Every structure is written in structure tokens, then in C-alpha cells.
Amino acid sequence: MKEEVKGIPVRVALRCRPLVPKEISEGCQMCLSFVPGEPQVVVGYNATVLAYGQTGSGKTYSMGGAYTAEQENEPTVGVIPRVIQLLFKEIDKKSDFEFTLKVSYLEIYNEEILDLLCPSREKAPQISIREDPKEGIKIVGLTEKTVLVALDTVSCLEQGNNCRTVASTAMNSQSSRSHAIFTISIEQRKKSDKNSSFRSKLHLVDLAGSERQKKTKAEGDRLKEGESN
Ligand code: ADP
Ligand code: MG
């Protein structure tokens, strides 16, 4: 990826490690392939993208956490809307498959999960994290919206972003200390073989600011959170 920062071209590095001996002996397979000459990798069926950095460094903007429909065709449009566009483009090409897509969008603040697609504060205690032996980590009670086209999907993003902004204004810049996770669950079935179900998940994460909270002037909630770090 070649980026321009104030007119200066900057090379963005990408580092991946090879399999370690333990993984090789356990029969693990590489799940990445490399694009020659480009800092680009193609990943397997499940993927998580994390935006990490100090508050103000551009995590939310780069992920698409400030996305609005007017930005759709701008070169500045974030990672999440780009992923959505690309995903539906690929789906359109695979006419011999049937797809079911669901999205969820949550925020974790002060160890509490806020459902950004159904933002009622009363709902928060009903949401819990469980570990399912088959499906792995599951967030029970979280809204999952079925989406049919790219427009539905970016609308969920916009809805969640608005909700996040409202919460942030009400709670003294909450967003810099919260994590937001936009998840796209994809199920793919061959039209000729309905039992050939194949599932994958993409998690797109806007992490809380990486600065140490202890150093900040803290009051109330903020102090409580700073102490626990
Ligand atoms: P963070 O989420 O890391 O705290 P933000 O994404 O909120 O940071 O970005 C901080 C400010 O910089 C925001 O006002 C945002 O609109 C602006 N910004 C971030 N990245 C860009 C960019 N690539 N182009 C223009 N403005 C940007
Ligand atoms: Mg942010």
C-alpha cells in the first residue's frame, strides 16, 4: 500500500511470520498467500482487521467508523465500506452459490457491551459472551441483521456509527476509550448441493486509543477505568 502523508509518499510495511515448528508438527497449513512486489496478503476464510494507535491518529476514520453515504465514491472511504463493496462484487460473480450474510456491530466500553444496531441501554445486561465448543466465542443477545445487498450493509454501518457518536457525546468522548467491532458473517452454499454449507466471519475492529489511560487527567468513569489498567 502506498500512501500520501502531507504530500510525502510513504511505504507501508507488512510483516507476516512463517509457520513455527510446533504448528508444522501439528499439521497446520499456511492460510496466507502473498501478492509479489506489493505489501498485500490474501487471507483465509476468517479474518480480523484491527486499527491500533493513539487517540486522534485516524483509526475510526480509516476503518469507516465515520462513514456517511456521501463518502461512498470518495478515495478516502474507509476499510469497512471497501470490504462491503468488494464482498458483494465477489458474491455477484459466484452465481452457482447462494449466500446468507449477517452483520452485527458492537461497542465495548467499561467492560460493557453496547449493541450498536439496537442501542437500548436496558439491553446491555442481556448481552453476554459465551464460549461454544463448536462455534467458538459467541455474543448471545446481540442483534444480527440479515443483509441482501451492499446498500443494506453500509446502512447498518451508518446506523451503528450514528449510535456510537450519540453515546460518545453523551459520555464525554467515550469513543476514544471504547472498542468497536463490525462483524460480517457469511454462509455460502452450492446451489446444486444445499448441504455444502461453508461459513466464515470477518471482524473489523476500531480499537480504543493505545495511550495509557493512567497518564490522562481522569475523573469519574474515566478514573475508574484508568485505575483498572
Ligand atoms: P482516532 O479514532 O484514532 O481517535 P479519528 O479517526 O477520529 O482518530 O481521526 C481524528 C481526526 O482526524 C478526525 O477529525 C478525522 O476526521 C481526521 N482524519 C483522520 N484520518 C483522516 C484522513 N485520512 N483524512 C482526513 N481527515 C482524517
Ligand atoms: Mg476513534
Side-chain angles (χ1 to χ4, degrees), residues 2-229:
K2 207 173 173 188
E3 302 233 315
E4 292 264 332
V5 177
K6 285 190 182 156
I8 308 160
V10 177
R11 270 270 161 208
V12 180
L14 181 73
R15 301 188 67 128
C16 307
R17 69 160 172 81
L19 292 179
V20 295
K22 182 174 177 282
E23 287 162 341
I24 295 169
S25 69
E26 285 171 356
C28 295
Q29 309 258 324
M30 276 284 273
C31 62
L32 299 174
S33 56
F34 300 86
V35 179
E38 294 291 334
Q40 192 182 342
V41 283
V42 180
V43 297
Y45 307 109
N46 296 309
T48 299
V49 175
L50 303 166
Y52 173 85
Q54 284 211 326
T55 297
S57 57
K59 298 178 297 296
T60 302
Y61 188 93
S62 303
M63 289 308 286
Y67 173 85
T68 58
E70 298 90 72
Q71 232 189 337
E72 185 72 45
N73 298 310
E74 297 290 321
T76 55
V77 74
V79 170
I80 302 172
R82 280 171 199 255
V83 165
I84 293 169
Q85 294 301 343
L86 230 122
L87 194 61
F88 280 95
K89 233 168 136 179
E90 290 302 315
I91 287 174
D92 284 346
K93 285 189 210 159
K94 299 184 107 185
S95 54
D96 44 343
F97 288 90
E98 222 172 59
F99 289 87
T100 309
L101 276 88
K102 288 179 184 165
V103 297
S104 62
Y105 198 9
L106 66 86
E107 183 172 58
I108 304 172
Y109 177 71
N110 237 350
E111 294 181 21
E112 195 175 86
I113 296 175
L114 177 68
D115 187 343
L116 292 175
L117 299 182
C118 180
S120 146
R121 285 259 161 211
E122 292 87 66
K123 203 182 163 221
Q126 296 162 26
I127 300 176
S128 61
I129 303 177
R130 304 234 181 97
E131 195 161 357
D132 184 277
K134 270 194 190 149
E135 292 181 53
I137 303 285
K138 273 183 77 171
I139 299 168
V140 179
L142 189 69
T143 305
E144 272 198 303
K145 286 203 174 162
T146 301
V147 286
L148 301 172
V149 289
L151 193 64
D152 291 351
T153 321
V154 284
S155 298
C156 289
L157 175 66
E158 261 191 292
Q159 185 196 332
N161 288 348
N162 288 337
C163 165
R164 200 176 181 213
T165 313
V166 169
S168 142
T169 314
M171 295 199 58
N172 180 25
S173 185
Q174 164 176 333
S175 74
S176 69
R177 280 161 288 125
S178 71
H179 308 292
I181 309 177
F182 188 86
T183 301
I184 309 174
S185 309
I186 306 152
E187 190 181 354
Q188 174 182 311
R189 272 167 293 134
K190 254 198 185 125
K191 283 182 182 163
S192 56
D193 176 10
K194 293 280 164 74
N195 295 324
S196 66
S197 173
F198 192 88
R199 289 164 194 240
S200 67
K201 268 190 183 182
L202 298 173
H203 295 293
L204 303 151
V205 187
D206 176 13
L207 288 171
S210 59
E211 63 277 4
R212 288 183 62 190
Q213 299 296 339
K214 268 184 192 164
K215 285 189 181 166
T216 61
K217 276 188 189 166
E219 283 175 21
D221 257 2
R222 195 165 186 176
L223 179 63
K224 201 169 89 189
E225 200 173 88
E227 283 172 345
S228 65
N229 280 339

